[in-house]
Amino acid sequence: MRVSKWFSGAGLVVLAVVVLFSTLFTDWLFKGARVDLTEGGLYTLSDGSKNIVAGLERPLELYFFFSDSTTKEALGWRSYAKQVRELLEEYVLASNGKITLTVIDPEPFSEDEDRAAAFGLQAAPIGNSGDSVYFGLVAQYGELVEGATPEENERATLQIPFFKPDRQEFLEYDIAKMIYQVSQERKPRVALIAGLEVDGGFNMMMRQPTQPWFTVAQVKQLFDVTTLGNDEDEIANEDYDLLVVIHPKELTQQTLFAIDQYVLRGGHALFFVDPYAEQSQGAASKASDDLNKLFNAWGVDVSTSEFIGDAQLALQVSGANGQPMRHLGILQLSDQNLARDNQIVSQLETLHLSTAGYLKPVEKATTEMIALMKSTQYAMPIVSSKLDMMQDPRALGVGFNPTGEEYVLAATVRGQVKTAFPDGVPVSEGEASSEDAPTPEATVESADDPSAEAKPAEYLQESVKPINVIIVADTDVLTDRLWVQVQQFFGQSMATPFADNGDFFFNSVDMLSGSGDLISIRGQGRYFRPFTVVKEMQREAEARFQNVEQDLQNQLEQVEQQLLQLQSQQGEAGNTITLTPEVEAQLMQFQQQKLKIRKQLRDVQHQLNKDIEQLDFTLKLINIALVPVLLTLLVVGVAVYRRRKR
């Protein structure tokens, strides 16, 4: 009676209402709950993203444009769009109401399509249908004032014109970068110390002026760059977001101390040092200043007397007589030599370096050295003095014997460090004696003494947070001759790059001049997961049956050739001849043999997929039957337990 009562019409309605309300209640109760079981936490915001969102002072509106109606058949794109939308929802959830998200489907010839185009989004054709698809994001920062004019309500706006699949690994970084940049009200400020004529100069050998380096000129267009001298006593962190040092030359000890303190206070820095800078003129040595006093304190040692020769990466150049030859010191790096999981170099394909030094970690380093560029194992260090007065690049091959080691040519250094000047501020000759300089003890006392205004400025003994520095053991990588051809056309500089050196410099400056939280966001795992198990099973099956299949194919070809020969005995059309019974029997035998071999081939091909089909069946069985079976066992177990308890 009780069972029939539940299966009555009213009973089913009551059950449906209970299920509906319990679902809504559960959805409301666990609205903020998240469990991310993906490898690499694809759907979990990093701390850097959360900090950037927490730092928003004004409302931020996100408009996610995706052509949902025109991508019904493009499942890959729809899956990618779903992941973008879900990640954006995570940002909204983490913002505590500061971020709002609007999802828009810009159908063709609609106002939404006009709006997407007005925002500067790009419509890209996908598939064979010819339909164009919008797949971008717009961010607008600030409040709208009621009754104000459109000009007064103009807000800071940035966009991602199109989510490219090759940037999928850095999806969180790209979105966080856009949110950070749109919330900033000024250009990033960069301090530049250069020991070479990066802004143009005069070539004494050619007796003509030289143009500014294109890399530096390009960065100056997009960043607020201030050039500092080599005798700066102070580099204020409040004034600069990034310090760039190119081929340091004759830096004073006070300047080194200023760099040390700038980095310890949390300033980001980018160094280009070189054991043999080709653009260096007039100096007794073409090597950069030895900054290992700083670098060693940061856990890294950089070669200043040797460069890396690499037999595999050596670029072909013109010799003295015009004959092409490979130069062991001029390297062409490909994506195989770059860190593919780093935002700076992940999208680069070719980099050219010339007589680059190398980096190695020092013992007991408290930092992490993350390689950005590496040589191959067919490399070895070469003394840079070999380059002096060298006429023929083939001379570098004399005694060249690869060590089998891969050398780091550029790296990021992160971690807690101590000062390179534990004795305090260095004092130059002629200045006050060291007794007047502040000591660490005096610094501590001054920090505790409320009347410290009259005492020397405080300096740090260790970093206030993990440092973030990039060191590149080459300065020639920035020169035009290694990556770009620049021509003047009606007063305009027309650049034709043939390598990615400029993008590397721009990416480095762009990343390091941003927030430390932004830099901490690393590439996550890829959303696309290839069926590695299936591919491995296919490879094993192909290896197992490849010989058998090839033998059968050969037999089939022989039989078909014999059949063609017999059939040709019938003559050309209209001139058939009568076959002897023996030939007819042989023809029939070959045809039967052909059918038999084709059947064997089908069996072999079926065997290739047999294991995969078995795996597919097992997975379907688990997906369909496992949960109902577990629930049934649970219910049966509860019922048995309750019956025994009675």
Side-chain angles (χ1 to χ4, degrees), residues 341-496:
D341 59 346
N342 187 283
Q343 296 95 325
I344 294 176
V345 295
S346 65
Q347 303 293 305
L348 307 185
E349 297 180 354
T350 303
L351 283 175
H352 291 163
L353 278 67
S354 180
T355 59
Y358 60 98
L359 296 77
K360 57 184 179 183
V362 300
E363 292 184 2
K364 300 180 180 179
T366 58
T367 56
E368 179 186 16
M369 189 182 85
I370 306 167
L372 296 177
M373 308 177 197
K374 275 186 175 180
S375 72
T376 70
Q377 58 185 343
Y378 304 99
M380 71 168 286
I382 301 175
V383 178
S384 56
S385 60
K386 264 194 167 186
L387 297 169
D388 295 331
M389 308 302 290
M390 185 185 73
Q391 299 294 328
D392 190 341
R394 287 176 293 191
L396 297 176
V398 178
F400 183 78
N401 186 19
T403 62
E405 180 182 350
E406 293 180 347
Y407 294 90
V408 177
L409 308 175
T412 296
V413 182
R414 294 174 182 160
Q416 291 284 355
V417 299
K418 294 185 177 179
T419 178
F421 296 87
D423 298 328
V425 183
V427 179
S428 60
E429 295 181 0
E431 294 187 359
S433 66
S434 60
E435 295 178 357
D436 298 330
T439 63
E441 292 75 12
T443 303
V444 174
E445 290 175 2
S446 64
D448 299 333
D449 188 353
S451 61
E453 295 182 358
K455 294 187 176 180
E458 181 180 356
Y459 67 94
L460 295 175
Q461 285 289 304
E462 58 185 47
S463 57
V464 297
K465 61 181 180 181
I467 67 168
N468 210 318
V469 171
I470 290 180
I471 302 173
V472 183
D474 188 34
T475 57
D476 303 307
V477 65
L478 300 177
T479 58
D480 293 354
R481 80 177 191 94
L482 284 184
W483 75 279
V484 66
Q485 289 181 338
V486 183
Q487 296 178 329
Q488 298 298 319
F489 187 75
F490 290 105
Q492 299 290 325
S493 297
M494 305 295 292
T496 306

Side-chain angles (χ1 to χ4, degrees), residues 73-189:
E73 305 298 328
L75 299 181
W77 287 100
R78 293 176 68 84
S79 176
Y80 187 15
K82 180 171 180 280
Q83 288 154 357
V84 173
R85 190 182 68 244
E86 290 178 346
L87 189 59
L88 293 174
E89 290 171 349
E90 292 296 315
Y91 276 98
V92 174
L93 190 65
S95 70
N96 291 324
K98 293 178 183 173
I99 298 178
T100 57
L101 173 65
T102 304
V103 180
I104 301 172
D105 177 9
E107 296 182 354
F109 309 107
S110 66
E111 292 184 359
D112 288 334
E113 185 181 34
D114 295 339
R115 193 180 180 191
F119 275 130
L121 302 189
Q122 299 171 353
I126 62 171
N128 298 323
S129 63
D131 294 331
S132 294
V133 172
Y134 283 95
F135 187 16
L137 181 67
V138 177
Q140 289 192 312
Y141 186 64
E143 304 93 347
L144 284 174
V145 181
E146 293 185 7
T149 63
E151 290 77 14
E152 292 172 337
N153 265 330
E154 187 175 351
R155 296 179 292 173
T157 302
L158 280 180
Q159 58 282 119
I160 297 176
F162 196 90
F163 285 101
K164 298 178 181 177
D166 58 358
R167 292 288 303 175
Q168 191 173 9
E169 191 175 355
F170 304 107
L171 180 61
E172 183 188 357
Y173 174 81
D174 289 342
I175 295 174
K177 177 184 174 184
M178 185 182 67
I179 293 174
Y180 174 76
Q181 289 184 337
V182 78
S183 63
Q184 303 301 304
E185 298 180 349
R186 56 170 175 76
K187 288 183 179 179
R189 298 162 301 183

Side-chain angles (χ1 to χ4, degrees), residues 131-264:
D131 294 331
S132 294
V133 172
Y134 283 95
F135 187 16
L137 181 67
V138 177
Q140 289 192 312
Y141 186 64
E143 304 93 347
L144 284 174
V145 181
E146 293 185 7
T149 63
E151 290 77 14
E152 292 172 337
N153 265 330
E154 187 175 351
R155 296 179 292 173
T157 302
L158 280 180
Q159 58 282 119
I160 297 176
F162 196 90
F163 285 101
K164 298 178 181 177
D166 58 358
R167 292 288 303 175
Q168 191 173 9
E169 191 175 355
F170 304 107
L171 180 61
E172 183 188 357
Y173 174 81
D174 289 342
I175 295 174
K177 177 184 174 184
M178 185 182 67
I179 293 174
Y180 174 76
Q181 289 184 337
V182 78
S183 63
Q184 303 301 304
E185 298 180 349
R186 56 170 175 76
K187 288 183 179 179
R189 298 162 301 183
V190 178
L192 173 64
I193 299 176
L196 296 171
E197 295 177 334
V198 298
D199 292 320
F202 191 83
N203 190 319
M204 299 299 291
M205 295 184 63
M206 304 295 294
R207 308 298 299 175
Q208 61 182 11
T210 58
Q211 296 296 321
W213 293 9
F214 200 77
T215 46
V216 177
Q218 193 176 30
V219 165
K220 284 188 173 181
Q221 293 177 0
L222 300 172
F223 299 87
D224 184 5
V225 179
T226 302
T227 302
L228 305 180
N230 59 358
D231 56 352
E232 295 289 330
D233 293 338
E234 174 68 21
I235 302 174
N237 292 60
E238 298 77 15
D239 295 339
Y240 306 109
D241 301 302
L242 171 65
L243 171 65
V244 178
V245 180
I246 301 175
H247 191 62
K249 208 66 178 171
E250 300 178 355
L251 297 185
T252 64
Q253 288 296 305
Q254 287 75 15
T255 303
L256 291 178
F257 179 76
I259 295 174
D260 173 84
Q261 293 296 297
Y262 174 82
V263 172
L264 294 185

